[in-house]
Amino acid sequence: MPTSKSEPGAGREGVYDLAVIGAGPAGLAAADTAAGLGLRVALLDAGSRPGGQYYRHPAPELGAARPEKLHHGWTAFARLRARLAASPLVDHLPGHHVWAAEAGVPGDERRPWRLHATRGPAAADRATVRARAVLLATGAYERHLPFPGWTLPGVVTAGGAQAMLKSSLVLPGRRIVVAGSGPLLLAAASSLVAAGAEVPAIVEATSYLGYARGLPVLAGNPGKLAEGAAHGARLLRHGVRLRRSSAVVEAHGTDRVTAVTVARLDARWKPVPGSERRIACDAVAIGHGLVPQIELAAELGAETVTGPDGAVALKVDARQRTSVPGLWAAGETCGVGGADLALAEGVLAARAIAGRPDGGRETAVRRRRRAFAALMAAAHAPGPDWTDWVTDDTDVCRCEEVPAGEIREAVAELGAGDARTVKLLTRAGMGWCQGRMCGPAVACLSGAGGSGAGGAAGRPDSRPLSCPVPLAQLAEPVRAVERAGPEPD
């Protein structure tokens, strides 16, 4: 894709019509649609190649013969990538991690949005992009529920296992237990066995009975049923066993995981005594769903909504507008629902920003897929008693090495009644990931989780910086990335 070749700040400072943050399905669809309607677009992404987490693909030098075999909907991605690469109206800015956004004033050309991005550790690697409107398509990250041994080498997230396979064509192990909750488990296990791994079991914490309450929703999403059936058929052919209403409650090993203990769970996700079984393995791929990544919008004060699984997402209207003037959102930032939904919402948002809000087909897709997403979230919402498998010596915050016992002590002995107070007393959540990994668990252990679902998602703190930034860049004068392309008529 074309990238501005001007030195930052050289000449007249350019202003894009639209800045899209995130080059996953929603961001790509939005940039493509906006450019097709004549808008000049900056597409910022922390990754080096377009596609985001969903369309993660091998680097060309790996020589993958058929990367499309690792994805659903690869044709849609390939089409979008080709159109954007050929568009003179889109500047793709890879390796730009946006750490702060200053809201603009709609209609005031002198006060556009200013997006501050870091491109590396050097002071000169800071950039500022100006735009009249901003679309957040930052996706989501995985929800982590810790258990004894989860920090052992060989224990990875379900999404991490897929990322290793898609981007590097490697497996986290040869005999891999897939565990947690949510449809990502089936997709991950299907990909792993197709790549040659042995999966002795898929350990699903729910019973899948929650889907029975949404038969009309399932009927309205036959594509999702077909996708699930395809995964199920492949897993059956490879003899993969599905253990429902169960969880990995401990991983064993010294230098690397060598086995896991699996236990049955009751309806509240409390391990059933005497039901433990040990499974030998050399890797574990575990995931408990996804949480929208909305830190930038949270800092701007955008309104949010809590989903059936307690995950906090951005609240948007029928045109994907947030409560902040000039700020739109699409895809997983509005609630986790898959690539098809993200593509449709990206198109709807771009059309609204361009003043062409009609989009009947995309509106219908959004309605069906949002209904399915709500059903899915409710069916896989974490139960309130999952913390029973977390022992006091289990590290909950990996960055700061804070065990569960310290968090429980902060609550019982020091009077902490919420995750923020626990954070101040124990440093849980103050490390490099800024609570993305431990936030849900800390919220539950602090008693702020209520039923368990809300605490298992966790609400992001409002903070001035959405990612770590070198001090030298904060001290640097603002330098603007010029808008490329022809001047407006």
Side-chain angles (χ1 to χ4, degrees):
M1 296 181 196
T3 302
S4 173
K5 300 298 190 299
S6 303
E7 287 297 322
R12 186 180 67 83
E13 291 182 350
V15 178
Y16 291 92
D17 297 312
L18 172 64
V20 179
I21 305 176
L28 293 174
D32 175 62
T33 302
L37 294 173
L39 300 188
R40 293 181 173 87
V41 182
L43 178 60
L44 300 92
D45 190 57
S48 59
R49 299 192 302 276
Q53 296 297 326
Y54 187 82
Y55 291 127
R56 185 186 285 266
H57 51 284
E61 55 267 24
L62 289 178
R66 295 184 296 171
E68 69 277 4
K69 293 299 182 181
L70 299 174
H71 298 80
H72 285 282
W74 178 264
T75 302
F77 167 64
R79 184 171 59 249
L80 284 170
R81 181 175 58 176
R83 284 206 298 255
L84 288 169
S87 175
L89 296 179
V90 178
D91 284 349
H92 177 219
L93 305 176
H96 282 62
H97 198 148
V98 178
W99 50 265
E102 296 180 54
V105 177
D108 189 342
E109 293 291 325
R110 297 169 301 176
R111 300 179 64 184
W113 281 80
R114 289 149 56 98
L115 305 178
H116 303 294
T118 178
R119 297 177 294 179
D125 288 339
R126 167 180 169 174
T128 295
V129 173
R130 292 173 170 81
R132 297 180 180 88
V134 173
L135 170 65
L136 282 179
T138 46
Y141 50 87
E142 291 191 76
R143 177 193 284 125
H144 302 270
L145 303 184
F147 54 90
W150 77 305
T151 58
L152 280 170
V155 180
V156 300
T157 65
Q162 283 193 306
M164 292 172 66
L165 181 57
K166 290 179 178 180
S167 63
S168 303
L169 304 179
V170 298
L171 294 167
R174 300 306 304 176
R175 182 176 167 86
I176 309 167
V177 171
V178 178
S181 186
L184 179 59
L185 301 186
L186 295 179
S190 179
S191 298
L192 293 173
V193 297
E198 178 187 358
V199 177
I202 299 174
V203 185
E204 165 63 58
T206 65
S207 64
Y208 288 111
L209 294 179
Y211 285 100
R213 295 191 292 268
L215 294 180
V217 174
L218 294 176
N221 289 274
K224 291 294 185 183
L225 294 178
E227 185 178 330
H231 290 317
R234 174 179 289 172
L235 294 170
L236 282 174
R237 289 197 302 271
H238 286 82
V240 178
R241 179 179 179 182
L242 174 64
R243 291 176 176 263
R244 295 177 297 170
S245 299
S246 301
V248 169
V249 296
E250 186 173 2
H252 308 280
T254 304
D255 299 322
R256 183 181 176 88
V257 61
T258 56
V260 294
T261 294
V262 174
R264 291 277 299 175
L265 303 179
D266 64 17
R268 293 174 57 87
W269 284 30
K270 184 174 184 177
V272 177
S275 66
E276 297 85 358
R277 297 291 183 273
R278 195 173 176 118
I279 301 176
C281 62
D282 62 0
V284 182
I286 191 155
H288 286 278
L290 303 172
V291 179
Q293 187 166 330
I294 63 173
E295 288 83 1
L296 280 170
E299 173 60 23
L300 293 166
E303 292 183 18
T304 60
V305 61
T306 302
D309 63 345
V312 179
L314 292 182
K315 182 179 182 180
V316 294
D317 65 10
R319 297 184 180 182
Q320 302 300 131
R321 292 179 298 194
T322 73
S323 61
V324 177
L327 180 65
W328 277 258
E332 313 286 53
T333 53
C334 309
V336 176
D340 291 345
L341 175 59
L343 291 167
E345 291 187 342
V347 171
L348 289 171
R351 295 187 68 86
I353 293 167
R356 302 276 293 278
D358 55 307
R361 189 185 74 83
E362 286 77 19
T363 299
V365 171
R366 178 179 60 185
R367 182 178 63 252
R368 294 195 305 270
R369 293 292 190 261
R370 278 288 163 216
F372 181 82
L375 176 64
M376 179 178 66
H380 296 283
D385 291 345
W386 69 267
T387 54
D388 279 22
W389 69 56
V390 181
T391 58
D392 281 348
D393 59 353
T394 302
D395 277 341
V396 174
C397 176
R398 301 176 68 151
C399 300
E400 295 293 325
E401 298 183 339
V402 181
E406 286 189 22
I407 296 173
R408 287 167 172 151
E409 181 182 0
V411 174
E413 304 295 333
L414 303 178
D418 57 73
R420 182 175 179 82
T421 305
V422 167
K423 178 179 179 179
L424 294 173
L425 292 171
T426 67
R427 293 192 58 80
M430 289 189 179
W432 181 260
C433 81
Q434 287 293 285
R436 287 179 178 85
M437 291 190 71
C438 67
V442 172
C444 276
L445 289 168
S446 67
S451 66
R459 181 188 178 91
D461 292 334
S462 177
R463 56 175 69 95
L465 308 179
S466 67
C467 70
V469 185
L471 265 178
Q473 291 189 22
L474 298 180
E476 274 290 293
V478 172
R479 296 176 179 177
V481 173
E482 277 203 355
R483 173 180 54 76
E487 294 297 319
D489 296 332

